[in-house]
Amino acid sequence: MPVVTRDWLNKLPKVELHLHLEGSLEPELMFSLARRNHIELPFATVEQIRRAYRFSNLQDFLDIYYQGANVLQEEQDFYDLTWAYLEKCRQQNVIHVEPFFDPQTHTERGISLATVINGISRALTDGESRLGITSKLIMCFLRHLSEASACDILAQSKPFRDRIIGVGLDSSEQGNPPEKFSRVFAKARELGLLTVAHAGEEGPAEYIWTAINDLKVSRIDHGVRAMDDPKLMAYLVATRMPLTVCPLSNIKLHVFDDMSQHNILDMLAQGVCVTVNSDDPAYFGGYMTDNFVALAQAFDMGKDQARQLVRNSIEASFADESRKRTMRALLV
Ligand code: ADE
Ligand code: ZN
């Protein structure tokens, strides 16, 4: 039996800093949007979709994930997607979220950036007023595309500057190092946007260094390969550079063979600012509570460790100081 129960972990107030909205598209919603938008899916049933969610690596997953996003067409679809995620947050006591969206996945299909951002941000506004869940939205560039394409999206996003706190970098990591995007990240910083980047998920620790040095990120998404490099570990501890770790994702994508091999609690013990997140919960088998429960089952995680993981998320978040103070006070 784990030291902490699912019920305790579910009640624990939580903060999510690494969540792809497109990765929260549950098969049921995928089907209903496909019907609404007259789109043919290559699956006949929800069960068939779930059975297809067996991945051998990141690329394997991304191929299915981009295909699933095709059902998102209208502003209301993006609203419904975001609202469904916020409902999960309410059920699992997630009180603050900083979700990602991938604009190029949609603009490349002829969907306007306004359609995407208006739908998402309307749901986030309702999430705060109706559910009390605060949020900051992060726009990710797809790293398998060119830097010119990222620059184009950044330029298109200027009218929506007030809706976005920062930019990120996701998609196929290996062979697409952070420095490929140095100039567009510099432009984003000039616009006052904060920066984060996926690094050290499948790619080497070197990519974490270049995300820090070239892209000047405030957080590293994943970063679990940092343990390959003792100098990097010392740097992360000394600077409290946060890592947004996604335990269930790492198992589903075979970054680790088994949860018992995961290094998050080891890094926590060494003083790294690690946090727990769900990444693409509709594809990886669980939301925030499920990720905490998976850690509790694999390790004898105690209440103090769980609370410290949430405290790290609050420290690493882009919420203002007064919101951070309120959230910290909820962690009894
Ligand atoms: N896009 C959605 N999920 C991702 C992940 N885990 N890594 C890289 N890109 C992603
Ligand atoms: Zn991710």
Side-chain angles (χ1 to χ4, degrees):
M1 264 301 279
V3 177
V4 288
T5 62
R6 181 181 177 91
D7 183 53
W8 188 87
L9 289 167
N10 199 59
K11 284 188 182 132
L12 179 70
K14 292 174 285 295
V15 167
E16 175 140 71
L17 306 178
H18 185 157
L19 176 283
H20 302 264
L21 284 168
E22 295 88 347
S24 70
L25 177 60
E26 290 287 346
E28 290 80 3
L29 183 58
M30 196 189 290
F31 260 108
S32 81
L33 295 181
R35 220 172 296 123
R36 196 155 93 186
N37 293 324
H38 312 289
I39 290 171
E40 188 120 12
L41 286 177
F43 306 102
T45 62
V46 164
E47 291 68 38
Q48 237 182 48
I49 297 191
R50 287 225 160 82
R51 250 179 278 131
Y53 291 176
R54 254 183 234 136
F55 317 109
S56 35
N57 54 36
L58 174 59
Q59 192 58 53
D60 221 27
F61 154 70
L62 290 171
D63 293 342
I64 286 203
Y65 161 86
Y66 294 130
Q67 185 186 60
N70 285 334
V71 300
L72 299 161
Q73 300 271 331
E74 308 290 336
E75 182 184 315
Q76 189 61 36
D77 303 342
F78 289 92
Y79 180 96
D80 292 348
L81 172 74
T82 308
W83 187 256
Y85 166 62
L86 292 168
E87 282 280 2
K88 290 281 188 190
C89 289
R90 185 188 56 77
Q91 289 161 15
Q92 299 203 344
N93 209 15
V94 179
I95 57 174
H96 177 79
V97 296
E98 300 188 359
F100 301 135
F101 72 108
D102 289 336
Q104 289 149 302
T105 300
H106 313 298
T107 54
E108 296 249 313
R109 301 182 286 120
I111 313 289
S112 79
L113 191 58
T115 297
V116 179
I117 296 184
N118 287 338
I120 293 172
S121 58
R122 188 158 54 83
L124 293 177
T125 302
D126 285 354
E128 179 154 1
S129 61
R130 287 159 53 183
L131 307 175
I133 300 170
T134 50
S135 57
K136 302 282 181 191
L137 183 61
I138 298 173
M139 181 175 83
C140 282
F141 303 123
L142 296 180
R143 69 201 306 160
H144 67 273
L145 300 179
S146 66
E147 189 183 43
S149 170
C151 277
D152 181 43
I153 276 293
L154 181 64
Q156 282 186 50
S157 75
K158 281 182 192 164
F160 309 101
R161 173 65 191 82
D162 59 322
R163 323 264 188 100
I164 297 168
I165 188 87
V167 296
L169 186 65
D170 63 3
S171 190
S172 321
E173 186 182 12
Q174 297 193 78
N176 293 300
E179 58 269 28
K180 177 177 164 187
F181 296 91
S182 293
R183 282 164 302 183
V184 68
F185 268 64
K187 280 188 194 167
R189 293 195 308 275
E190 276 165 25
L191 293 171
L193 291 158
L194 297 170
T195 64
V196 298
H198 283 53
E201 178 186 17
E202 280 187 345
E206 183 55 31
Y207 284 16
I208 301 175
W209 279 122
T210 50
I212 293 167
N213 293 326
D214 294 15
L215 306 187
K216 318 246 180 278
V217 294
S218 302
R219 303 193 290 247
I220 294 287
D221 296 314
H222 292 294
V224 291
R225 294 284 303 276
M227 276 189 85
D228 297 344
D229 179 343
K231 278 206 182 104
L232 177 56
M233 284 295 287
Y235 177 90
L236 296 177
V237 171
T239 59
R240 294 287 290 165
M241 169 65 70
L243 305 185
T244 64
V245 179
C246 308
L248 285 173
S249 162
N250 292 153
I251 304 310
K252 285 281 184 185
L253 301 186
H254 301 278
V255 172
F256 296 94
D257 293 336
D258 179 283
M259 197 58 85
S260 66
Q261 308 291 307
H262 205 289
N263 61 11
I264 182 170
L265 293 187
D266 197 354
M267 288 202 280
L268 181 71
Q270 291 189 47
V272 180
C273 185
V274 285
T275 66
V276 173
N277 307 273
S278 71
D279 205 5
D280 302 285
Y283 292 87
F284 299 150
Y287 289 77
M288 283 292 277
T289 297
D290 310 288
N291 274 273
F292 275 90
V293 168
L295 291 177
Q297 283 171 347
F299 305 97
D300 282 336
M301 183 170 77
K303 292 182 180 177
D304 286 348
Q305 283 165 301
R307 276 195 212 93
Q308 185 58 44
L309 287 164
V310 178
R311 234 178 266 122
N312 287 352
S313 295
I314 297 169
E315 176 185 336
S317 93
F318 296 148
D320 62 32
E321 271 314 313
S322 111
R323 178 65 180 146
K324 286 189 179 190
R325 224 174 301 121
T326 305
M327 294 195 285
R328 257 186 233 114
L330 295 172
L331 276 182
V332 283

